[in-house]
Structure formats: structure tokens, C-alpha cells
Amino acid sequence: MLDISPAEWTAILLSLRVAVIATLVATPFGIALAWLLARRDFWGKSVLDAVVHLPLVLPPVVTGYLLLLAFGRRGLVGGFLADHLGIVFAFRWTGAALACGVMSFPLLVRPMRLSIEAIDRRLEQAAETLGAAPWKVFFTVTLPLALPGVLAGMVLGFAKAIGEFGATITFVSNIPGETQTISSAIYSLIQTPDGDAAAGRLVMVSIFLALGALIAAEWFARRATARLHGN
Amino acid sequence: MLRVDVEKQLGEFSLHASFASEGRVTGLFGASGAGKSSLINMIAGLLRPDRGTIVIDGDVVDDTAAGIHVPTYRRRIGYVFQDARLFPHLDVAQNLDYGRRMNRLAADPAQRTRVVELLDIGTLLDRRPGKLSGGERQRVALGRALLSKPRLLLLDEPLGALDEARKLEILPYLVRLRDEANVPMVYVSHDVAELRQLATQIVMLRQGRVTSFGGVKVLT
């Protein structure tokens, strides 16, 4: 129905790759942080909480610029990673994934944290009396019971990552085939004469992906909830 | 078998209890607020005494003077809570096998069959806890605790959340457990009739102190 050109496909597939990698890499960190915020009291907790939420309230261009300063070729972290591990973020699709991961992180963490906070800690106590060491309690009781929130957080983070624009374009620019995601492709197209039709097609794809993600999140949450309440 | 000599300050409430029991079923008796639950939670390791020692089966699990506090998961105890606390994401069979898996014990089909038959839960194995009645849940919780092969079984008012009819349904199982399972138990209750039927020794608690200790006669 939609007559999508190869260039548009490139942007769509890149967006998917960037968002999938960003979500998968962010998820373990998200779970660990959600657990820490839900279950532990430590000095500086509210500061950590604020830092995690910062990308939500900062102008995306500021986040992107900060990433450029830190992870650019001459950045403190970026220089080290490039020299010692051969990992380069600047103007690469990996940088786009990093930007998307950072921007979507608050949305990814929040449902995970809420679902961990909602778990009855007495179940974890029961597991301990049955001989489960703390890390086993986490993997056999806490994590399975938090699964609806973990999946919801992943889907939400994915949806945010796939639509991210400001930080990505600031950090890794808008290079077709390397860093040009759906969002930046649309941005380019609407500044080009005769780009309207192509932009329209990508807009349709965006809407389709976002709706799909929201429906998937809902479906996961309902399935997992049913699973938890006995059948 | 079980030696307890502990002190614990919990807000305004101070608990100072000392007893040694060789009985098969040690009944902790007292009104609510007497310190029964705090005491059993200290035996379980869920609560840490301020001062004192706890020895299970010759094994020192708490000794504040020596800085010993064995964590709950290494005490090899079983604990049946008033509110069953079955894992909602696992079916009955998986709940029963949880302790064995966590303790890395080899499967023991004979013992499992024995426990399942003792508690009459064979027909429930593939059900989820959400689909069980209160009495069934408590029976599964008993089985789950037993199958982790504990050296001491702690029961904190296991019938407390059940109505009279359900209590009468579970009591015979507890009696059978006492006579057949060969695991010493600590049984917390404020119900004299229950303890008369089950306990072999009584520790009577009042406002955080042991007021009497002895056979079931002390209940009169």
C-alpha cells in the first residue's frame, strides 16, 4: 500500500536497530537501578533519582551536546573507549543508540521500579526461609513477579527510543545510512521541496510503530498480570 | 535440640526470653503482643537479637557476643506463616519443589510422595495458588516447608487465618505431621485447645518474658 523507497527503508531499519539495541542494553541497567531505588536506602538516593530523570526534563539538545562532550572522539569517555576498546560513538549508529538509550532511560526505569515496589516482601522472606540466598531470591521471586513492569518498561523505552530526535541529531548528526533515523529523515524531507510524500509515508510508519508498541505493552502487562494472579 | 536466650528491644516493647526445649513440638503460647512472633522470627533469623544466643540442633546460629548471625537461608529451617505465602507465579508442584531446588538437594521422589499423601495435596499439584482455598493453601505451605528438609519446622499461628471448620480440617494433618514426619517443631499459638492437641512442651510468654515452661499441663 505504502510505496516505501529503499532510502526510506534504510531509515526505518536503522531506527529499529537503534531502538532495539538501546532497549536491550539499557534493560539490565534499568532493572538494577529500579531495584536499587525501590529496595535500598543509601546516601544520595534522591540525587541519583533526579539524575536518572534529568533527560526527561532537560532540552534534548542539551543532553545531546553533553553526550558529544563526554562521548565524542575527544571526549573524556569517548576518547578512552576509542583508544582502548575501539568503540566509537561519534557520528555512528552506535552513538544514536546511546543517545536513544539515555533519553528513554527514565521511561524504561519507572514501570520497573513501580512493579518491584509493589511486590510483597513477605514472599521474599518466605523464599529465604526455604534456603534461597539473596541473589536467588531476586532471580526466582522478585524478577518473575516484576515481569509485567519490566516488559512494560522495555516497550515504553523502545517507543521513546524509536522516536527520539533532538539528542540524536545533536550528538551524531543526520547521516543517511549511518545515523539518519526515521525522525531525522522526516526532518530532512520536510525541508526538501517535493519531500512531502516521502515524509508522509514515514509519518505513517512512525504512527504505526508507536501504536504497535503501546498495544504490545498493554498486552504484555495483561498477560503477565493474569499469570501472577493464578492462571 | 533448641536453646534460646535472647534480648530484643522493639520500640517500647522489650523481649527477654530464655528456654531450652527437647520436645518434638514446642508450643509458644501467649496473648497477641506477648512477643511470640518476634521470638519465632529470631529463631528463623529474620530478626536479629540485641543480645543473646540461639542454638539449633547443637549448631550456634546466633551469638551476639561472638558476632555470629547465620542468615536465614543457611539455617536449614522450615517456616509456615499464618498467610501461607505461596509463590503466586509458580504452580503447587513448583512451590513444593522450591526449597529442594534452592538447597541443591537431589530429587527424592519417595519423600515427595509421602509428603503429598500425608497432606492430601496430590490433586492440587498443577494448580496455581490463586485457585486454592485457604485450607488447601496452608497444606501446600506445610508441604513446601517439609520438602526443604529442615532440621526445625517453625509454625507461626498456621491456623490463625482460617475459620473453625477449616481449622478442624487442618489439625489432623498437623497431628500426623508431628507423629510421622520426624521433624521437631516450634508452634506459635494463642489457642489453648490447639496447643493441647499438638504440643509436647509449652513455653508461656507474657509481655516479653517467659512466665512458665513445662508440659501441656502449664496451660491450665
Side-chain angles (χ1 to χ4, degrees):
Chain A
M1 190 178 76
L2 291 175
D3 192 13
I4 296 170
S5 74
E8 289 152 40
W9 267 120
T10 306
I12 293 167
L13 292 177
L14 182 77
S15 274
L16 286 172
R17 175 161 40 137
V18 163
V20 166
I21 296 294
T23 307
L24 290 182
V25 174
T27 295
F29 294 103
I31 293 172
L33 195 75
W35 183 84
L36 214 59
L37 291 172
R39 282 298 158 81
R40 286 290 137 119
D41 275 313
F42 50 89
W43 189 86
K45 180 171 166 172
S46 46
V47 175
L48 179 65
D49 197 20
V51 170
V52 170
H53 283 89
L54 215 51
L56 212 57
V57 284
L58 271 182
V61 64
V62 172
T63 306
Y65 183 60
L66 290 174
L67 285 171
L68 190 59
L69 290 180
F71 288 93
R73 283 263 195 191
R74 290 199 205 115
L76 211 58
V77 189
F80 177 84
L81 289 175
D83 293 345
H84 294 89
L85 299 169
I87 301 172
V88 178
F89 288 108
F91 306 108
R92 298 278 175 83
W93 74 270
T94 47
L98 177 65
C100 290
V102 169
M103 290 300 288
S104 63
F105 201 59
L107 288 171
L108 177 120
V109 170
R110 195 170 174 73
M112 296 183 182
R113 174 182 178 171
L114 289 176
S115 67
I116 291 175
E117 278 171 352
I119 293 172
D120 188 347
R121 301 193 70 167
R122 294 173 311 164
L123 290 171
E124 296 170 332
Q125 266 187 355
E128 224 190 312
T129 66
L130 289 161
W135 67 273
K136 282 185 180 168
V137 175
F138 178 80
F139 282 105
T140 58
V141 178
T142 317
L143 194 57
L145 288 174
L147 204 60
V150 170
L151 292 173
M154 286 176 75
V155 175
L156 220 57
F158 174 83
K160 169 73 186 171
I162 210 161
E164 213 293 313
F165 173 67
T168 310
I169 204 166
T170 311
F171 181 29
V172 294
S173 181
N174 185 356
I175 309 161
E178 185 66 42
T179 63
Q180 190 178 70
T181 58
I182 297 178
S183 307
S184 27
I186 294 174
Y187 175 72
S188 298
L189 284 166
I190 52 184
Q191 292 186 324
T192 318
D194 312 323
D196 289 349
R201 286 193 290 275
L202 287 177
V203 165
M204 297 285 280
V205 171
S206 296
I207 294 172
F208 172 77
L209 286 173
L211 272 178
L214 286 175
I215 292 166
E218 189 61 31
W219 185 78
F220 275 131
R222 215 177 303 160
R223 236 181 86 107
T225 310
R227 209 176 79 104
L228 294 184
H229 290 289
N231 290 339
Chain B
M1 186 69 259
L2 174 65
R3 263 198 311 119
V4 176
D5 180 5
V6 289
E7 282 176 51
K8 176 88 186 171
Q9 192 71 34
L10 293 156
E12 292 286 285
F13 179 75
S14 95
L15 178 72
H16 188 170
S18 168
F19 66 90
S21 177
E22 294 288 336
R24 259 185 310 168
V25 179
T26 309
L28 288 186
F29 175 76
S32 62
K36 306 184 299 289
S37 290
S38 308
L39 195 53
I40 201 172
N41 281 334
M42 275 192 264
I43 299 172
L46 296 172
L47 202 61
R48 208 171 167 155
D50 295 336
R51 258 180 309 283
T53 53
I54 298 174
V55 182
I56 302 173
D57 217 1
D59 192 2
V60 179
V61 292
D62 265 301
D63 185 345
T64 50
I68 297 172
H69 174 74
V70 176
T72 300
Y73 67 95
R74 284 209 212 102
R75 292 197 175 200
R76 290 177 40 228
I77 46 132
Y79 197 146
V80 179
F81 301 89
Q82 185 172 356
D83 52 343
R85 305 194 194 178
L86 299 178
F87 303 122
H89 57 301
L90 304 177
D91 63 24
V92 168
Q94 292 167 321
N95 266 284
L96 289 175
D97 290 335
Y98 186 87
R100 182 179 61 73
R101 276 175 40 226
M102 291 304 118
N103 291 298
R104 295 221 176 86
L105 303 170
D108 185 346
Q111 196 218 6
R112 192 170 186 273
T113 311
R114 211 158 46 234
V115 169
V116 166
E117 276 171 11
L118 181 83
L119 296 165
D120 263 334
I121 48 179
T123 54
L124 311 175
L125 291 179
D126 52 6
R127 287 211 226 154
R128 289 296 181 100
K131 304 266 172 189
L132 302 179
S133 72
E136 289 170 335
R137 246 177 250 164
Q138 214 46 291
R139 267 146 62 199
V140 174
L142 271 168
R144 182 178 69 170
L146 275 179
L147 285 169
S148 69
K149 301 203 171 173
R151 51 187 177 177
L152 179 67
L153 187 60
L154 309 172
L155 303 107
D156 187 7
E157 310 231 12
L159 307 182
L162 305 176
D163 58 38
E164 279 309 312
R166 292 273 166 266
K167 276 186 194 173
L168 293 176
E169 174 200 320
I170 307 285
L171 258 173
Y173 292 108
L174 288 169
V175 172
R176 268 164 85 183
L177 207 69
R178 177 192 66 192
D179 298 337
E180 295 173 29
N182 210 18
V183 182
M185 304 192 237
V186 175
Y187 192 101
V188 168
S189 179
H190 62 265
D191 186 318
V192 175
E194 231 173 275
L195 285 172
R196 276 224 183 87
Q197 279 200 55
L198 284 168
T200 57
Q201 262 174 320
I202 299 291
V203 176
M204 204 182 285
L205 279 174
R206 200 167 157 198
Q207 291 171 346
R209 303 286 184 279
V210 176
T211 53
S212 39
F213 175 75
V216 276
K217 321 186 276 302
V218 304
L219 285 172
T220 47

